[in-house]
Amino acid sequence: TIGGRRSAIFLTRDNLIGLDPATGAIHFQRRWRARNASSVNAATPLVVGDSIFVSAQYGPGAAVLRVEGSKLADVWASDEAMSNHYATSVYHDGHLYGFHGRQEFGPSLRAVEFKAGTVKWSQDQFRAGSVTLAGDKLLMMRESGEMLRAPASPQALARPSPCPRRG
């Protein structure tokens, strides 16, 4: 629910779109398309208050857009802050945490200030994976199958510790 209006929000191959879930009527729409024809938009948009974080590789980069009726106003946009290739970022206490960069080039894990798009820290060559928020902890599953956890903190990435294997 944004501005008192329920919306179903999707990132399609070409657009970020908000629809009325009952009728399918378009509430808002913004072109969000990579320059590379063989690319995909894989990360799910995140809704925080009246704003949406959207991110993709191959050109569009990332943005926080404020929903203003049927329009989307830019809060910030950047290809350098948090360009998700496949994995969706998470939001915690005013910050985004996620993987920046293309999977085949060894993405970095980052913390980015939600309202400004400022990179607070970046752990380069962290490798690809996915991140989940559990309370105030980041759970990171690397493409190698290794599961790590660390506090969700914008000050620095604490040394991630392996999650114990069970059973």
Side-chain angles (χ1 to χ4, degrees):
T1 301
I2 303 172
R5 184 169 65 172
R6 292 185 51 82
S7 292
I9 298 169
F10 302 94
L11 180 58
T12 69
R13 182 165 177 79
D14 292 320
N15 297 290
L16 173 67
I17 190 165
L19 304 172
D20 182 306
T23 67
I26 296 173
H27 287 171
F28 54 81
Q29 184 172 347
R30 167 78 68 92
R31 182 152 173 83
W32 202 264
R33 178 76 175 107
R35 292 182 290 262
N36 184 337
S38 64
S39 67
V40 298
N41 286 336
T44 302
L46 297 175
V47 176
V48 178
D50 65 351
S51 297
I52 301 170
F53 170 73
V54 61
S55 183
Q57 264 294 311
Y58 304 102
V64 169
L65 307 168
R66 188 175 46 259
V67 178
E68 297 177 348
S70 62
K71 304 235 184 276
L72 294 171
D74 291 343
V75 175
W76 62 264
S78 170
D79 195 24
E80 300 300 319
M82 180 78 82
S83 293
N84 301 138
H85 194 184
Y86 297 117
T88 301
S89 294
V90 297
Y91 173 86
H92 181 65
D93 285 345
H95 293 85
L96 298 161
Y97 299 89
F99 289 89
H100 169 76
R102 287 177 53 181
Q103 179 269 337
E104 63 267 30
F105 300 139
S108 56
L109 181 68
R110 290 192 168 177
V112 174
E113 187 178 358
F114 183 80
K115 289 184 178 180
T118 306
V119 177
K120 302 305 273 186
W121 55 256
S122 182
Q123 180 67 47
D124 294 337
Q125 294 297 310
F126 196 80
R127 309 213 27 115
S130 61
V131 62
T132 300
L133 187 68
D136 62 353
K137 302 278 190 280
L138 300 174
L139 297 178
M140 299 150 290
M141 175 65 81
R142 291 174 132 170
E143 63 185 338
S144 64
E146 179 183 24
M147 176 75 100
L148 301 170
R149 70 174 165 232
S153 169
Q155 279 72 44
L157 176 63
R159 182 180 171 98
S161 59
C163 292
R165 292 183 176 215
R166 305 215 176 173

